[in-house]
Amino acid sequence: MPRFPDAWMGELLSKADLVSLVSAYVPLKPKGGRMWGCCPFHNEKTPSFSVVPDKQFYYCFGCHEGGGAVQFVMEMEKLSYVDAVKWLAQRVGMELPEEVDDASIRQERAVKERIYAANKEAAHYFFDCLMCEQGKTAQAYLVRRGLDSKVVKRFGLGYAPAGWENLTRFLTDKDFTKEELIRAGLAIKGKKDGECYDAFRDRIIFPIIDTSGRVLGFGARTMGDDTPKYINTGDTPVYNKRRHVYGLNLLKRKKLADVIMVEGYMDVIRLVKAGVENTVAGLGTALTTEQARLLKRYVPAVYLCYDGDGAGQNAALRGLDILAKEELDVRVIVIPGEMDPDDYVRAHGAEAFLALKEKALPRNAFKLETMARRYDLGTPDGREGFAKEACALAGGFEPVERERYAPLIARKTGLSLSTVQAQCGLSQEGAAHSVSNYRHTKPKESGKNDGADKTAIMLLSCMLVSKEGALAVVGKLADMDMDFPAEIADFADVLLAAYMQSDMPDIPLLLSAQQGDKAEIIAAAQVQTNDIADPVRTATDYVLAMRKDRINARIRILGEVTPLAGEQAFADALAEMNALQKELAALQS
């Protein structure tokens, strides 16, 4: 199994928050210092699945599944260890380390490096085309849109000239193969073998750049009435539009309180040019969970500012809960007159836009305002319909929010506040989560790892509590001339080696390298650590109990030896039994 560098793996685990990871599959609620939910690995109605946030491990008291982030992904997504690590790295936006000695990873990295190189050359080519004579029409278009050379250079804008093989010829002359260009999304495979043609032709080009400065792909806009208006790089080994955000590369070194999320490339460029620099955009798709997680790494709050038409406002509605689920503070900037941010800033300026930001609506206020627009509040039926739907929504709010929004509903409907409050109080929570609805849920018999010796688990718990506890276990086992129980032996050696390096080893990191039953036993041992007040005393008691159990088991075996086994064998059995009984008596005194 490939070994990933400890420093890289530690960073991955610190970013791959286990509570957030698990919450994507099953809802969790806090209780007693842990997060609890119905187990995603077996069907149950009463939650027995727990996540310990500060120690970054999970354990189910029903089916005894346990582990850390890597094991959870392996189980839920049915992935190998290496693929689970890749999955997590992609989720948190980390590149795989170069030090890993694995042929498939080396090959994958080589493919990606060629794509990055081709994209970089393509970006330079498009920029040069924009700035030369053949880009005059594109330059005029950008000027009409209010852009100058400074902002063009800042965003690396370019122009893909008309024609079928301009970029293809340019890059093949630089020793890129046609297969590499197709894989990068820069060219499209032709009908005949070995043929391809440029993916972008006679369009303004918007490079999509990550926070490391690498060109991932491109967006391309027509300057006329061609459809579609925008085309974008499809999925490639280095780019997936669900996982990236346009414009974030310009913000990575800035300490920001929030970002403004808009819909399009031109919205970002226009706002940045006007001085509203903390602006980013999606990439031709509705806002995704992956984008929300990416933004969370940089800011605590997000302002959605989508187009003012119905489609834009509906998109904002869909994005609200995605952002809130990632614990981002989210608000909505409402642009009047169904304008988009680009047009509004051009017409009214940055100060007017920032004034709209100051009046941005909280998530639930925007939901209620949007809901109200669907009803004719000038009629009794419209007011009643809105009141019922709004109260049903507000019934799921936290009590403080119910108190806040009940007066708003009352004002819009003309109902008394007491009536609205009563209706909100009677509302039911949203549809209950059923673990059986998850695509990865599987029936699982409880009792997994019931065969794991309790003494072994408790000894490992003592070792996990502290270095002192670990050394006590080793010392007591040596005193009794015993080895670690088989089920914990490998990890106990790993843990001891870690204690030799540090008094506080990185347990989540050590856990991440374990698989199958070993990870589950470690998680079971972790569960017990909070109940161990004195690891040395506990280790002594359990080693002693283990020795007694082994003596009793050996005595039972010796007791089955009869004279029929032979005179010498019978005598040896009696002698060993007498010695063991004396040892047992001494241990019990």
Side-chain angles (χ1 to χ4, degrees), residues 366-385:
F366 179 74
K367 286 183 177 182
L368 289 170
E369 291 290 348
T370 304
M371 187 184 295
R373 288 198 291 270
R374 298 202 302 266
Y375 293 91
D376 182 357
L377 300 183
T379 66
D381 287 346
R383 290 192 296 272
E384 181 180 341

PDB file of all heavy atoms in Angstrom, residues 366-385:
ATOM      1  N   PHE A 366     -35.040  36.239   2.824  1.00  0.00           N
ATOM      2  CA  PHE A 366     -35.126  36.164   1.365  1.00  0.00           C
ATOM      3  C   PHE A 366     -36.104  35.081   0.932  1.00  0.00           C
ATOM      4  O   PHE A 366     -36.870  35.259  -0.019  1.00  0.00           O
ATOM      5  CB  PHE A 366     -33.738  35.887   0.781  1.00  0.00           C
ATOM      6  CG  PHE A 366     -33.732  35.775  -0.718  1.00  0.00           C
ATOM      7  CD1 PHE A 366     -33.862  36.902  -1.507  1.00  0.00           C
ATOM      8  CD2 PHE A 366     -33.616  34.538  -1.332  1.00  0.00           C
ATOM      9  CE1 PHE A 366     -33.864  36.806  -2.899  1.00  0.00           C
ATOM     10  CE2 PHE A 366     -33.613  34.423  -2.718  1.00  0.00           C
ATOM     11  CZ  PHE A 366     -33.742  35.564  -3.496  1.00  0.00           C
ATOM     12  N   LYS A 367     -36.090  33.957   1.625  1.00  0.00           N
ATOM     13  CA  LYS A 367     -37.036  32.890   1.286  1.00  0.00           C
ATOM     14  C   LYS A 367     -38.474  33.379   1.426  1.00  0.00           C
ATOM     15  O   LYS A 367     -39.325  33.111   0.570  1.00  0.00           O
ATOM     16  CB  LYS A 367     -36.802  31.675   2.192  1.00  0.00           C
ATOM     17  CG  LYS A 367     -35.555  30.878   1.870  1.00  0.00           C
ATOM     18  CD  LYS A 367     -35.474  29.658   2.773  1.00  0.00           C
ATOM     19  CE  LYS A 367     -34.279  28.786   2.427  1.00  0.00           C
ATOM     20  NZ  LYS A 367     -34.218  27.571   3.269  1.00  0.00           N
ATOM     21  N   LEU A 368     -38.762  34.087   2.519  1.00  0.00           N
ATOM     22  CA  LEU A 368     -40.127  34.573   2.744  1.00  0.00           C
ATOM     23  C   LEU A 368     -40.507  35.641   1.721  1.00  0.00           C
ATOM     24  O   LEU A 368     -41.647  35.652   1.230  1.00  0.00           O
ATOM     25  CB  LEU A 368     -40.252  35.121   4.162  1.00  0.00           C
ATOM     26  CG  LEU A 368     -40.216  34.066   5.281  1.00  0.00           C
ATOM     27  CD1 LEU A 368     -40.095  34.728   6.642  1.00  0.00           C
ATOM     28  CD2 LEU A 368     -41.461  33.187   5.229  1.00  0.00           C
ATOM     29  N   GLU A 369     -39.579  36.543   1.397  1.00  0.00           N
ATOM     30  CA  GLU A 369     -39.874  37.587   0.411  1.00  0.00           C
ATOM     31  C   GLU A 369     -40.123  36.971  -0.968  1.00  0.00           C
ATOM     32  O   GLU A 369     -41.029  37.388  -1.703  1.00  0.00           O
ATOM     33  CB  GLU A 369     -38.704  38.581   0.335  1.00  0.00           C
ATOM     34  CG  GLU A 369     -38.533  39.449   1.573  1.00  0.00           C
ATOM     35  CD  GLU A 369     -39.650  40.476   1.738  1.00  0.00           C
ATOM     36  OE1 GLU A 369     -40.438  40.667   0.786  1.00  0.00           O
ATOM     37  OE2 GLU A 369     -39.736  41.081   2.822  1.00  0.00           O
ATOM     38  N   THR A 370     -39.322  35.984  -1.334  1.00  0.00           N
ATOM     39  CA  THR A 370     -39.509  35.311  -2.619  1.00  0.00           C
ATOM     40  C   THR A 370     -40.835  34.564  -2.645  1.00  0.00           C
ATOM     41  O   THR A 370     -41.550  34.569  -3.651  1.00  0.00           O
ATOM     42  CB  THR A 370     -38.353  34.334  -2.875  1.00  0.00           C
ATOM     43  OG1 THR A 370     -37.116  35.050  -2.808  1.00  0.00           O
ATOM     44  CG2 THR A 370     -38.478  33.687  -4.240  1.00  0.00           C
ATOM     45  N   MET A 371     -41.158  33.941  -1.547  1.00  0.00           N
ATOM     46  CA  MET A 371     -42.429  33.225  -1.438  1.00  0.00           C
ATOM     47  C   MET A 371     -43.610  34.175  -1.584  1.00  0.00           C
ATOM     48  O   MET A 371     -44.613  33.866  -2.259  1.00  0.00           O
ATOM     49  CB  MET A 371     -42.489  32.518  -0.073  1.00  0.00           C
ATOM     50  CG  MET A 371     -43.665  31.602   0.134  1.00  0.00           C
ATOM     51  SD  MET A 371     -43.646  30.938   1.823  1.00  0.00           S
ATOM     52  CE  MET A 371     -42.151  29.955   1.781  1.00  0.00           C
ATOM     53  N   ALA A 372     -43.501  35.346  -0.984  1.00  0.00           N
ATOM     54  CA  ALA A 372     -44.607  36.309  -1.023  1.00  0.00           C
ATOM     55  C   ALA A 372     -44.904  36.772  -2.442  1.00  0.00           C
ATOM     56  O   ALA A 372     -46.069  37.050  -2.796  1.00  0.00           O
ATOM     57  CB  ALA A 372     -44.281  37.507  -0.131  1.00  0.00           C
ATOM     58  N   ARG A 373     -43.859  36.829  -3.291  1.00  0.00           N
ATOM     59  CA  ARG A 373     -44.063  37.295  -4.664  1.00  0.00           C
ATOM     60  C   ARG A 373     -44.879  36.310  -5.504  1.00  0.00           C
ATOM     61  O   ARG A 373     -45.369  36.675  -6.571  1.00  0.00           O
ATOM     62  CB  ARG A 373     -42.704  37.563  -5.320  1.00  0.00           C
ATOM     63  CG  ARG A 373     -42.004  38.804  -4.780  1.00  0.00           C
ATOM     64  CD  ARG A 373     -40.902  39.275  -5.732  1.00  0.00           C
ATOM     65  NE  ARG A 373     -39.780  38.356  -5.775  1.00  0.00           N
ATOM     66  CZ  ARG A 373     -38.731  38.427  -4.965  1.00  0.00           C
ATOM     67  NH1 ARG A 373     -38.672  39.368  -4.025  1.00  0.00           N
ATOM     68  NH2 ARG A 373     -37.733  37.579  -5.084  1.00  0.00           N
ATOM     69  N   ARG A 374     -45.016  35.105  -5.024  1.00  0.00           N
ATOM     70  CA  ARG A 374     -45.793  34.115  -5.781  1.00  0.00           C
ATOM     71  C   ARG A 374     -47.295  34.235  -5.518  1.00  0.00           C
ATOM     72  O   ARG A 374     -48.090  33.554  -6.159  1.00  0.00           O
ATOM     73  CB  ARG A 374     -45.328  32.697  -5.418  1.00  0.00           C
ATOM     74  CG  ARG A 374     -43.875  32.413  -5.767  1.00  0.00           C
ATOM     75  CD  ARG A 374     -43.637  30.918  -5.902  1.00  0.00           C
ATOM     76  NE  ARG A 374     -43.984  30.193  -4.695  1.00  0.00           N
ATOM     77  CZ  ARG A 374     -43.113  29.889  -3.733  1.00  0.00           C
ATOM     78  NH1 ARG A 374     -41.847  30.255  -3.854  1.00  0.00           N
ATOM     79  NH2 ARG A 374     -43.497  29.228  -2.661  1.00  0.00           N
ATOM     80  N   TYR A 375     -47.678  35.063  -4.565  1.00  0.00           N
ATOM     81  CA  TYR A 375     -49.094  35.200  -4.190  1.00  0.00           C
ATOM     82  C   TYR A 375     -49.587  36.625  -4.445  1.00  0.00           C
ATOM     83  O   TYR A 375     -48.815  37.587  -4.368  1.00  0.00           O
ATOM     84  CB  TYR A 375     -49.289  34.866  -2.703  1.00  0.00           C
ATOM     85  CG  TYR A 375     -49.047  33.416  -2.360  1.00  0.00           C
ATOM     86  CD1 TYR A 375     -47.784  32.975  -1.980  1.00  0.00           C
ATOM     87  CD2 TYR A 375     -50.084  32.488  -2.418  1.00  0.00           C
ATOM     88  CE1 TYR A 375     -47.557  31.646  -1.659  1.00  0.00           C
ATOM     89  CE2 TYR A 375     -49.865  31.155  -2.094  1.00  0.00           C
ATOM     90  CZ  TYR A 375     -48.598  30.745  -1.721  1.00  0.00           C
ATOM     91  OH  TYR A 375     -48.387  29.425  -1.407  1.00  0.00           O
ATOM     92  N   ASP A 376     -50.866  36.739  -4.727  1.00  0.00           N
ATOM     93  CA  ASP A 376     -51.512  38.039  -4.833  1.00  0.00           C
ATOM     94  C   ASP A 376     -51.987  38.431  -3.438  1.00  0.00           C
ATOM     95  O   ASP A 376     -53.061  38.010  -2.992  1.00  0.00           O
ATOM     96  CB  ASP A 376     -52.695  37.973  -5.806  1.00  0.00           C
ATOM     97  CG  ASP A 376     -53.368  39.333  -5.988  1.00  0.00           C
ATOM     98  OD1 ASP A 376     -52.947  40.304  -5.312  1.00  0.00           O
ATOM     99  OD2 ASP A 376     -54.320  39.419  -6.800  1.00  0.00           O
ATOM    100  N   LEU A 377     -51.176  39.220  -2.749  1.00  0.00           N
ATOM    101  CA  LEU A 377     -51.503  39.580  -1.375  1.00  0.00           C
ATOM    102  C   LEU A 377     -52.615  40.614  -1.292  1.00  0.00           C
ATOM    103  O   LEU A 377     -53.025  40.993  -0.185  1.00  0.00           O
ATOM    104  CB  LEU A 377     -50.249  40.093  -0.655  1.00  0.00           C
ATOM    105  CG  LEU A 377     -49.084  39.087  -0.561  1.00  0.00           C
ATOM    106  CD1 LEU A 377     -47.925  39.698   0.241  1.00  0.00           C
ATOM    107  CD2 LEU A 377     -49.529  37.777   0.068  1.00  0.00           C
ATOM    108  N   GLY A 378     -53.125  41.020  -2.450  1.00  0.00           N
ATOM    109  CA  GLY A 378     -54.275  41.929  -2.457  1.00  0.00           C
ATOM    110  C   GLY A 378     -55.588  41.199  -2.338  1.00  0.00           C
ATOM    111  O   GLY A 378     -56.651  41.828  -2.267  1.00  0.00           O
ATOM    112  N   THR A 379     -55.556  39.869  -2.322  1.00  0.00           N
ATOM    113  CA  THR A 379     -56.788  39.079  -2.219  1.00  0.00           C
ATOM    114  C   THR A 379     -56.744  38.221  -0.963  1.00  0.00           C
ATOM    115  O   THR A 379     -55.670  37.816  -0.500  1.00  0.00           O
ATOM    116  CB  THR A 379     -56.944  38.152  -3.436  1.00  0.00           C
ATOM    117  OG1 THR A 379     -55.896  37.164  -3.413  1.00  0.00           O
ATOM    118  CG2 THR A 379     -56.854  38.946  -4.739  1.00  0.00           C
ATOM    119  N   PRO A 380     -57.914  37.908  -0.390  1.00  0.00           N
ATOM    120  CA  PRO A 380     -57.954  37.048   0.813  1.00  0.00           C
ATOM    121  C   PRO A 380     -57.332  35.682   0.559  1.00  0.00           C
ATOM    122  O   PRO A 380     -56.595  35.162   1.404  1.00  0.00           O
ATOM    123  CB  PRO A 380     -59.451  36.938   1.111  1.00  0.00           C
ATOM    124  CG  PRO A 380     -60.050  38.167   0.514  1.00  0.00           C
ATOM    125  CD  PRO A 380     -59.249  38.444  -0.726  1.00  0.00           C
ATOM    126  N   ASP A 381     -57.647  35.104  -0.616  1.00  0.00           N
ATOM    127  CA  ASP A 381     -57.084  33.784  -0.904  1.00  0.00           C
ATOM    128  C   ASP A 381     -55.563  33.834  -1.004  1.00  0.00           C
ATOM    129  O   ASP A 381     -54.870  32.915  -0.539  1.00  0.00           O
ATOM    130  CB  ASP A 381     -57.664  33.233  -2.220  1.00  0.00           C
ATOM    131  CG  ASP A 381     -59.119  32.800  -2.073  1.00  0.00           C
ATOM    132  OD1 ASP A 381     -59.581  32.675  -0.918  1.00  0.00           O
ATOM    133  OD2 ASP A 381     -59.775  32.588  -3.110  1.00  0.00           O
ATOM    134  N   GLY A 382     -55.034  34.896  -1.625  1.00  0.00           N
ATOM    135  CA  GLY A 382     -53.586  35.036  -1.748  1.00  0.00           C
ATOM    136  C   GLY A 382     -52.915  35.184  -0.393  1.00  0.00           C
ATOM    137  O   GLY A 382     -51.881  34.570  -0.134  1.00  0.00           O
ATOM    138  N   ARG A 383     -53.526  36.008   0.469  1.00  0.00           N
ATOM    139  CA  ARG A 383     -52.944  36.200   1.806  1.00  0.00           C
ATOM    140  C   ARG A 383     -52.991  34.913   2.623  1.00  0.00           C
ATOM    141  O   ARG A 383     -52.047  34.574   3.338  1.00  0.00           O
ATOM    142  CB  ARG A 383     -53.685  37.327   2.533  1.00  0.00           C
ATOM    143  CG  ARG A 383     -53.412  38.716   1.952  1.00  0.00           C
ATOM    144  CD  ARG A 383     -53.921  39.810   2.856  1.00  0.00           C
ATOM    145  NE  ARG A 383     -55.374  39.795   3.002  1.00  0.00           N
ATOM    146  CZ  ARG A 383     -56.229  40.423   2.194  1.00  0.00           C
ATOM    147  NH1 ARG A 383     -55.751  41.128   1.161  1.00  0.00           N
ATOM    148  NH2 ARG A 383     -57.527  40.379   2.395  1.00  0.00           N
ATOM    149  N   GLU A 384     -54.100  34.188   2.500  1.00  0.00           N
ATOM    150  CA  GLU A 384     -54.224  32.934   3.252  1.00  0.00           C
ATOM    151  C   GLU A 384     -53.213  31.893   2.751  1.00  0.00           C
ATOM    152  O   GLU A 384     -52.566  31.197   3.540  1.00  0.00           O
ATOM    153  CB  GLU A 384     -55.636  32.375   3.129  1.00  0.00           C
ATOM    154  CG  GLU A 384     -55.833  31.075   3.924  1.00  0.00           C
ATOM    155  CD  GLU A 384     -57.248  30.534   3.795  1.00  0.00           C
ATOM    156  OE1 GLU A 384     -58.161  31.305   3.424  1.00  0.00           O
ATOM    157  OE2 GLU A 384     -57.432  29.334   4.072  1.00  0.00           O
ATOM    158  N   GLY A 385     -53.069  31.805   1.420  1.00  0.00           N
ATOM    159  CA  GLY A 385     -52.120  30.847   0.855  1.00  0.00           C
ATOM    160  C   GLY A 385     -50.692  31.146   1.285  1.00  0.00           C
ATOM    161  O   GLY A 385     -49.940  30.236   1.666  1.00  0.00           O
TER     162      GLY A 385
END
